[in-house]
Amino acid sequence: ILVQNQYFATCNISHSGVRELAGDLLDLRVVGKLAKSGDFLVDTNRRWLVKAVSPNEHLKLAEIGHGEDIETLYSDCDGFSHSLLLPIPLAFISAEKKAYLVMHNETERLADWTRPDWQVVQVFDVKPLPNLADDLADLISTLSTGWLGSFEPLSTWDGWNDTSNALHRDCRVLTSSKVVDFSLFIHVLRPNSAMR
């Protein structure tokens, strides 16, 4: 059973991904197990990730995709285009009745998009408190020490207000839907000129 998130589909955000998936047979390999749900897979080109989700998570994501809160907070597709939520163009139920989500590999996509001028040097998968994960401590340490620690505070960076506003709006969607288990997927990029 293949389904699309209705808001991504309505706003034409997932169409190109769905077309690409329909045209290619993905050769997937397991790259890990998720504690709550199962396999985490990647295709050989590293463009797509396939993540197993628990039945409860699957139902919650479907509920958010059809929810009125999204229309209230984003108002229209232009507003939704500024969301920092990771698009999920496709979901499916396997022959074994397990739910899976298909999404772009954002790290690979970002690396392709910024080459050759930039390089992704670190990735953090940070869960908000009260969840405790190693990446949160690593992020705080990275922001306060080393070359990132020498930068001006994030609040002074160009574009930070837009990013912060989008982040707050997305978090309101997730908290209004009573979603606790979500992550901030943070990439640190560095100019290649600075690494020579």
Side-chain angles (χ1 to χ4, degrees):
I1 301 169
L2 298 176
V3 294
Q4 289 188 59
N5 179 298
Q6 291 307 300
Y7 218 79
F8 287 131
T10 301
C11 293
N12 203 25
I13 291 172
S14 61
H15 284 16
S16 62
V18 171
R19 280 196 300 273
E20 182 180 337
L21 288 166
D24 289 331
L25 183 65
L26 294 185
D27 185 13
L28 299 170
R29 61 184 177 85
V30 175
V31 291
K33 293 265 186 193
L34 300 168
K36 294 182 181 177
S37 47
D39 291 340
F40 196 76
L41 307 102
V42 65
D43 75 313
T44 50
N45 295 322
R46 301 192 62 81
R47 283 181 50 78
W48 293 99
L49 299 175
V50 179
K51 175 187 175 186
V53 293
S54 68
N56 287 342
E57 189 176 1
H58 181 253
L59 290 172
K60 179 57 71 175
L61 288 167
E63 177 187 317
I64 293 173
H66 292 277
E68 295 178 1
D69 290 333
I70 287 185
E71 295 187 28
T72 302
L73 286 167
Y74 298 114
S75 72
D76 56 24
C77 289
D78 182 59
F80 192 58
S81 68
H82 296 92
S83 169
L84 300 177
L85 294 174
L86 181 64
I88 300 170
L90 207 60
F92 66 92
I93 306 297
S94 72
E96 293 79 24
K97 308 298 182 188
K98 291 189 69 174
Y100 289 87
L101 307 178
V102 183
M103 64 197 88
H104 273 118
N105 181 341
E106 283 299 298
T107 302
E108 197 66 24
R109 186 190 67 81
L110 190 58
D112 285 344
W113 190 58
T114 57
R115 282 190 194 104
D117 300 321
W118 295 79
Q119 183 175 338
V120 177
V121 292
Q122 278 182 291
V123 180
F124 300 95
D125 187 356
V126 178
K127 292 187 179 295
L129 295 173
N131 293 290
L132 294 176
D134 292 341
D135 277 12
L136 178 58
D138 290 344
L139 175 65
I140 293 169
S141 175
T142 301
L143 288 174
S144 56
T145 60
W147 66 280
L148 274 178
S150 66
F151 289 1
E152 293 293 320
L154 287 174
S155 58
T156 65
W157 292 19
D158 289 343
W160 176 250
N161 281 341
D162 292 338
T163 302
S164 179
N165 289 338
L167 187 58
H168 281 286
R169 189 172 54 228
D170 290 342
C171 285
R172 283 200 302 274
V173 168
L174 296 172
T175 53
S176 68
S177 302
K178 297 180 175 57
V179 175
V180 176
D181 190 9
F182 62 92
S183 297
L184 301 176
F185 202 36
I186 301 167
H187 292 79
V188 178
L189 287 86
R190 197 170 187 178
N192 275 325
S193 58
M195 300 181 73
R196 294 190 181 110

